[in-house]
Amino acid sequence: MVQVHFLPENCTVSCEAGDLIYDVATAAGIFIPTGCLMGSCHACEVELAGGERVCSCITPVGSGPLIAVYLLTDPTW
């Protein structure tokens, strides 16, 4: 099991390594805007600890005891 900590919501949930970040957030009741659900539109982009930006709809949760995910805000969504 992996702990995923969503910021700024300050919500930590458990999931399996390999689960998609978007699916984990949705199951936890956290809204991430989406467009295509294929990683093309980048509407679901989040930032991982360390600064890497990824599309949450196609990016699996990595292995590790705790993964931090920073939700980005866009006033147009």
Side-chain angles (χ1 to χ4, degrees):
M1 293 300 277
V2 178
Q3 297 289 308
V4 180
H5 187 72
F6 291 98
L7 296 165
E9 276 71 7
N10 199 28
C11 175
T12 302
V13 295
S14 297
C15 70
E16 295 291 330
D19 290 348
L20 296 177
I21 294 171
Y22 177 81
D23 293 340
V24 174
T26 300
I30 295 171
F31 174 74
I32 296 177
T34 61
C36 66
L37 291 176
M38 296 182 299
S40 298
C41 71
H42 292 266
C44 65
E45 195 169 88
V46 297
E47 186 173 308
L48 303 178
E52 180 184 8
R53 289 187 176 199
V54 298
C55 292
S56 65
C57 69
I58 61 169
T59 304
V61 172
S63 60
L66 179 66
I67 308 293
V69 176
Y70 301 92
L71 304 174
L72 306 174
T73 58
D74 182 343
T76 59
W77 290 98

